[in-house]
Amino acid sequence: MQLVIVESPAKAKTIEKYLGKDYKVLASYGHVRDLPPKDGSVDPDAGFAMEWELYRDKQSRFKEIADAAKKADRLVLATDPDREGEAISWHVQELLAKRKALPKAVDRVTFNAITKTAVTEAMARPRELDQPLIDAYLARRALDYLFGFTLSPVLWRKLPGAKSAGRVQSVALRLIVEREREIEAFRAEEYWSVVARMQHDGTEFDARLVKFKGVKLERLSLGNAGIAMEAKAAVEAGRFTVEGVETKPVKRNPAPPFTTSTLQQEAARKLGFSAQHTMRLAQSLYEAGAITYMRTDGVQMDPGAIHALRDAIAARYDSAYLPEKPRFYSTKAKNAQEAHEAIRPTDFTRERAGSADEARLYDLIFKRAMASQMATAQLERTTVTLRDATGSHELRATGQVVKFPGFLAVYQEGLDDSEDEDGGLLPQMKAGDQPAKRSVEATQHFTQPPPRFSEASLVKRLEELGIGRPSTYASTIQTLRDRAYVRMEKNRFFAEESGRLLTAFLERFFPTYVAYDFTAGMEDELDVVSDGREDYKALLARFWRDFKPKADEVMEKMPSEVTEALDDYLSDFLFPPREDGSDPRACPLCAAEGRSGGRLSLRGGRFGAFVACNNYPECKYTRRFAQPGGEGEGGAEDGVIGQHPETGEDIHRKTGRFGPYVQMGEGKEAKRASIPKDLDDFDLDWAVKLLDLPRIVGAHPDTGLEIEANIGRYGPYLRHDGKYGKLASTREVFEVGMNRAVAILAEAANRGGGARGKSEPIATLGAHPVSGGEIKVMPGRFGPYVTDGTTNATIPRDAKPEEVTLEAAIALIDARAAKGPAKGKAKKKAAPKKAAAKKAPAKKKAPAKAKASAATK
């Protein structure tokens, strides 16, 4: 018997069918072990020795593999064809060797697609494990561990509210924060455009003023309404004649088939998918045999696939759409190193695969691959120049016509943040023609700041800089969101104050390690290791020699020293110059109350940084860190916003270190309520509503007990008889009616979310590759469990629910689903005993919590 190890159960089933009875195919369910999240897992003093630990939830899974290996004559390691796949194979081999279960014959095979041909051909060409590729994995894993587990404790002690830092994660965050700074520093400039609406031979078109009083107009030339109106009047008064018509042929060639990075970018642009969602869908399509391997930097395609694709094009279109020779592409991405094909369908006669989002992504991959081998598009761009009789003023009209669509008949690549080109049709004109002028418009514009990053543009920028690997971008971006360093609004990244503060801290104290060239250079060095040209331990030694002393130096500083340094470093942001020339650090509350010497500075608190007055405790002025100069939701807006309509008491709007809030009354009797972020129109009416919470919706029709609507730590909710239901928004707290409330509570109870206490998921991990349901880690009455909405699986007692990975959750759910529905009968309730109650035994003291793991990527 020959034992084949792959990563996923779906792949295992498919491959076992291809190979026949002599083969047993088992899944490792991803990585089987990792560096335990504790100090000492990588020991620089012992030659960077690494301590590996089998995942708790993989114990039984790996025992099955080890038992099968003892009976096998040959072990075939057939994990994915990349660095991570090579690492998983190495881990499996090492563990089997330790358990003395390793067969005498061990081979490594890789295939780029899960088709019968690809798999059988790969089995006929086995090789040994690629040790340089494994060394590069070990180096990357050790680097990420050393960075995270050395730097994160520094953050916890010196930067209140910070959660973690990562080698790639922190640099990606810096990109987002720097863009935020550029937007804040941007000052809009006014400019105007003058456009004439013309008509010729019954066709209307627009012509833009490009020369005024003999001077060529630049973008900002018409800088105010006065000169714009003068230019408009000149165009209205002038009689314009066609001076020249220039027609220029334009060719456009197709883009290459997808790589990991370009797939993520296009799926974000065209389908609105996140990078993580795109990769999950692509994984499912790959495991179903529909597409080639989806983690790749390569843009080339197998010659056999190109031949099949050309046949498919010829079958669908006439010969003009098929170029005489195949197209061959080479990658332009920095640090591209994967020797795989581009992402493409495995069968070009198959136009559809999967369902729902999978089908949409497959359609994108299919069309992009097909277009890559199609003919060049032929366009014609026409430019018409019109001048008035004096020759001082000039209009220009442009248009574009597609003469032959070529690849555009199938696919057109999306763009980020680009303005539409003038592509309208123009009537046939020649020199001397005088089109009729229908109207003239002068339009005011303002220059725009650089756009915030979308997932597509952030991935593109990371790839351009050579930072990280496309296969890791999805997890890197998700980590930033999970840590609440950034948020997404309208598919754009906004830096949260915790992210800004962390970036400032790293720039001030660890500038080398968040420098773009350093991080990209490290990727170059890892590539040298993967090529076998350098020992990975030498790379680690160079990194550690400089990094450890720097971390120790910062760790020795007092928190007050760190805060003082950041106060100085962020001075221009926190305390920008005031228009009246007054001291930007002067405390407004002290000035209003007649106190002298009140000056503002950055302070560190238990839950993060904030700005406060040095006259504390006499002055209790505070301002959130991310409110430069007291603008926006800052102290400048604090004060009485009105009186309560029933009690007549003043309602104050205030800003504390946790954000804006309203208060009525003073001292211990004061009522306070935080101002939710989703209230854009906050006013006195909203303040009264918030202070009057909780709201009683009414009596439940079944129990007669009250249903309460309120806002809590985890957002707006309903409560009834100790059970909870989540509301979608703050407004719903005040609008939800009885019927809707009963329905929400019933749905929550059916999902297992009706128990007393925390009903929010402990973690949301991603979609199940088979059911498609979102996998969540949930608290339960009998202990934490994972669910995809269909199957619930209990988490083993020795596993921490916060540390459950997506792969582990999938394994638990699949194992539970394989057992079928529970067969046991419900136990009858025992009759209550009348014996005297006994004193309950004392509970054992819970063990101390383990140190929180640091994110390393």
Side-chain angles (χ1 to χ4, degrees):
M1 187 265 289
Q2 300 186 58
L3 176 62
V4 181
I5 303 298
V6 295
E7 279 149 311
S8 77
K11 195 192 302 185
K13 290 178 183 177
T14 304
I15 292 173
E16 196 164 67
K17 292 177 185 177
Y18 294 154
L19 295 179
K21 296 180 180 179
D22 189 40
Y23 291 86
K24 183 174 181 62
V25 185
L26 294 177
S28 70
Y29 287 82
H31 274 283
V32 293
R33 64 179 186 172
D34 195 10
L35 299 169
K38 64 178 184 180
D39 291 335
S41 293
V42 177
D43 189 352
D45 297 329
F48 298 97
M50 299 186 191
E51 175 190 327
W52 301 98
E53 181 179 76
L54 182 66
Y55 289 122
R56 290 189 183 96
D57 57 333
K58 297 289 178 71
Q59 302 280 354
S60 59
R61 182 72 53 192
F62 197 79
K63 184 179 184 302
E64 182 185 2
I65 292 174
D67 290 345
K70 290 176 182 177
K71 303 173 186 176
D73 303 313
R74 178 191 180 210
L75 174 66
V76 181
L77 300 166
T79 50
D80 288 343
D82 60 5
R83 184 187 286 123
E84 292 300 310
E86 206 75 17
I88 292 170
S89 287
W90 175 77
H91 280 302
V92 169
Q93 180 175 293
E94 290 281 299
L95 277 169
L96 290 176
K98 283 187 177 182
R99 298 192 179 194
K100 297 182 180 179
L102 193 65
K104 291 183 179 179
V106 180
D107 289 313
R108 170 81 167 116
V109 301
T110 58
F111 33 82
N112 197 44
I114 304 176
T115 62
K116 187 170 185 177
T117 301
V119 171
T120 52
E121 287 181 357
M123 297 297 289
R125 298 195 307 272
R127 62 169 173 82
E128 294 182 351
L129 284 171
D130 188 332
Q131 191 58 47
L133 204 58
I134 294 166
D135 287 346
Y137 158 78
L138 294 174
R140 183 183 294 275
R141 191 68 195 87
L143 278 172
D144 290 337
Y145 173 91
L146 291 171
F147 191 99
F149 270 82
T150 303
L151 193 52
S152 292
V154 178
L155 296 177
W156 300 335
R157 297 180 190 179
K158 309 301 177 185
L159 194 68
K163 297 175 182 177
S164 69
R167 186 176 61 87
V168 176
Q169 162 201 323
S170 298
V171 180
L173 175 60
R174 184 187 175 192
L175 279 171
I176 296 170
V177 170
E178 285 194 339
R179 180 57 54 87
E180 201 77 29
R181 293 170 183 165
E182 291 173 23
I183 292 169
E184 289 169 351
F186 179 81
R187 296 294 176 265
E189 293 186 73
E190 180 185 9
Y191 70 98
W192 291 71
S193 63
V194 176
V195 176
R197 188 67 175 166
M198 314 289 282
Q199 186 183 63
H200 186 72
D201 287 345
T203 301
E204 292 190 345
F205 62 97
D206 289 335
R208 181 183 297 269
L209 180 66
V210 294
K211 185 183 286 187
F212 178 54
K213 294 183 177 179
V215 178
K216 182 181 178 182
L217 295 180
E218 302 295 338
R219 187 184 189 188
L220 303 178
S221 296
L222 303 179
N224 56 62
I227 191 170
M229 292 303 112
E230 184 182 346
K232 177 186 177 184
V235 174
E236 288 174 330
R239 186 174 181 82
F240 287 83
T241 303
V242 174
E243 185 72 18
V245 179
E246 180 184 3
T247 301
K248 183 180 180 181
V250 177
K251 294 182 179 181
R252 285 182 59 186
N253 291 316
F258 284 129
T259 62
T260 302
S261 169
T262 54
L263 176 63
Q264 291 173 1
Q265 292 173 48
E266 280 290 83
R269 295 184 192 114
K270 292 183 179 295
L271 305 177
F273 292 170
S274 68
Q276 192 172 51
H277 187 52
T278 297
M279 295 309 291
R280 283 198 297 263
L281 297 173
Q283 179 82 37
S284 297
L285 289 169
Y286 167 67
E287 291 178 356
I291 63 171
T292 54
Y293 191 55
M294 67 289 166
R295 291 186 177 90
T296 175
D297 289 335
V299 292
Q300 65 277 9
M301 204 183 290
D302 180 78
I306 292 177
H307 181 76
L309 176 52
R310 287 173 62 84
D311 287 346
I313 295 169
R316 288 172 175 77
Y317 301 94
D318 63 44
S319 58
Y321 286 83
L322 186 66
E324 291 184 11
K325 297 179 180 179
R327 295 182 183 275
F328 295 98
Y329 298 93
S330 59
T331 186
K332 295 179 182 179
K334 186 178 179 181
N335 288 330
Q337 47 84 37
E338 302 289 4
H340 307 135
E341 280 192 77
I343 303 168
R344 63 166 177 84
T346 56
D347 181 0
F348 287 104
T349 64
R350 183 180 182 182
E351 293 190 32
R352 293 176 180 81
S355 60
D357 284 355
E358 274 185 21
R360 296 172 68 197
L361 187 66
Y362 180 82
D363 183 65
L364 197 69
I365 294 168
F366 184 94
K367 289 178 177 178
R368 172 81 166 223
M370 176 166 281
S372 73
Q373 287 296 324
M374 291 180 68
T376 299
Q378 307 286 341
L379 300 93
E380 185 176 83
R381 184 169 294 143
T382 301
T383 303
V384 179
T385 303
L386 304 98
R387 289 193 188 132
D388 70 344
T390 67
S392 299
H393 313 310
E394 189 174 295
L395 300 175
R396 182 175 299 157
T398 58
Q400 187 169 278
V401 177
V402 177
K403 292 292 187 181
F404 172 68
F407 75 92
L408 292 177
V410 175
Y411 184 86
Q412 183 166 353
E413 187 176 20
L415 298 172
D416 289 308
D417 308 312
S418 62
E419 295 182 3
D420 292 333
E421 295 182 3
D422 293 327
L425 292 175
L426 294 177
Q428 288 284 347
M429 289 181 281
K430 62 183 184 298
D433 285 344
Q434 291 186 331
K437 193 182 324 119
R438 294 300 183 195
S439 63
V440 180
E441 295 291 336
T443 307
Q444 183 186 38
H445 308 275
F446 292 93
T447 54
Q448 297 297 310
R452 288 183 170 88
F453 284 109
S454 62
E455 280 214 11
S457 58
L458 181 60
V459 165
K460 183 178 181 181
R461 186 61 181 144
L462 287 168
E463 187 178 39
E464 288 172 349
L465 292 170
I467 294 169
R469 280 284 173 263
S471 58
T472 66
Y473 291 157
S475 60
T476 297
I477 291 170
Q478 190 58 43
T479 297
L480 294 178
R481 298 178 68 174
D482 291 344
R483 297 287 184 270
Y485 291 148
V486 301
R487 71 180 188 277
M488 292 290 282
E489 289 185 12
K490 297 180 180 179
N491 294 321
R492 297 284 171 169
F493 286 105
F494 286 73
E496 295 283 22
E497 61 183 71
S498 56
R500 296 189 68 139
L501 186 61
L502 173 59
T503 297
F505 174 84
L506 295 174
E507 289 175 330
R508 172 60 179 82
F509 293 103
F510 295 90
T512 298
Y513 303 99
V514 289
Y516 303 134
D517 54 354
F518 172 84
T519 310
M522 188 63 70
E523 295 296 340
D524 291 333
E525 293 187 58
L526 288 167
D527 289 341
V528 172
V529 171
S530 67
D531 291 340
R533 290 178 284 151
E534 183 179 13
D535 177 17
Y536 78 93
K537 292 185 178 181
L539 183 156
L540 294 174
R542 283 199 306 274
F543 168 79
W544 190 245
R545 184 174 58 244
D546 297 328
F547 181 69
K548 183 61 166 65
K550 184 63 178 175
D552 290 343
E553 175 191 331
V554 179
M555 183 65 92
E556 290 174 3
K557 293 182 180 293
M558 296 291 291
S560 58
E561 292 181 81
V562 172
T563 303
E564 185 178 339
L566 289 175
D567 178 82
D568 180 65
Y569 184 76
L570 292 167
S571 179
D572 291 342
F573 167 68
L574 294 173
F575 311 105
R578 293 178 177 173
E579 292 183 2
D580 61 4
S582 61
D583 183 2
R585 286 182 178 264
C587 175
L589 189 57
C590 282
E593 297 181 358
R595 278 188 300 271
S596 62
R599 286 180 58 77
L600 304 178
S601 61
L602 187 67
R603 302 286 181 85
R606 182 180 175 188
F607 298 100
F610 61 99
V611 173
C613 179
N614 63 348
N615 277 337
Y616 179 85
E618 289 79 11
C619 176
K620 292 183 172 58
Y621 177 90
T622 60
R623 192 178 79 215
R624 290 172 61 189
F625 162 78
Q627 291 168 196
E631 299 296 330
E633 295 178 342
E637 294 183 11
D638 290 355
V640 177
I641 60 174
Q643 288 73 42
H644 195 284
E646 295 180 7
T647 68
E649 288 186 88
D650 287 344
I651 296 177
H652 297 260
R653 185 193 190 283
K654 298 187 175 185
T655 303
R657 65 191 68 177
F658 309 115
Y661 65 97
V662 288
Q663 176 177 316
M664 184 171 67
E666 296 294 336
K668 294 182 180 179
E669 303 301 320
K671 294 187 69 175
R672 298 179 180 88
S674 294
I675 300 175
K677 291 183 178 179
D678 61 348
L679 293 182
D680 299 327
D681 54 349
F682 182 78
D683 55 15
L684 177 62
D685 289 341
W686 277 116
V688 172
K689 289 180 180 180
L690 292 171
L691 290 167
D692 287 348
L693 287 174
R695 169 183 169 242
I696 303 303
V697 179
H700 194 289
D702 294 337
T703 66
L705 299 175
E706 290 181 337
I707 298 175
E708 176 187 289
N710 206 345
I711 301 172
R713 181 181 178 186
Y714 302 104
Y717 67 90
L718 292 170
R719 182 172 64 182
H720 163 256
D721 194 19
K723 299 180 177 62
Y724 294 80
K726 187 176 182 180
L727 295 174
S729 68
T730 300
R731 284 175 168 78
E732 200 169 6
V733 172
F734 304 98
E735 296 171 356
V736 65
M738 179 57 69
N739 292 339
R740 175 68 177 147
V742 170
I744 290 173
L745 289 165
E747 290 170 6
N750 291 334
R751 291 195 301 268
R756 178 179 292 275
K758 181 179 175 183
S759 60
E760 290 289 298
I762 297 170
T764 301
L765 304 177
H768 191 285
V770 178
S771 72
E774 188 171 49
I775 296 178
K776 296 179 181 179
V777 182
M778 300 294 298
R781 181 180 178 187
F782 303 105
Y785 63 95
V786 291
T787 180
D788 64 348
T790 303
T791 303
N792 298 345
T794 303
I795 297 172
R797 290 186 179 181
D798 59 350
K800 294 181 181 179
E802 307 86 20
E803 297 177 2
V804 173
T805 63
L806 176 61
E807 293 80 8
I810 293 171
L812 289 169
I813 290 169
D814 289 350
R816 182 65 189 85
K819 292 179 182 178
K823 297 177 182 178
K825 295 181 181 179
K827 294 181 180 180
K828 293 182 179 180
K829 287 186 178 180
K833 294 182 179 180
K834 295 184 179 180
K838 292 183 179 180
K839 186 177 181 180
K843 292 183 179 179
K844 293 182 179 179
K845 190 176 182 180
K849 288 185 179 179
K851 180 184 279 189
S853 65
T856 56
K857 262 190 179 179

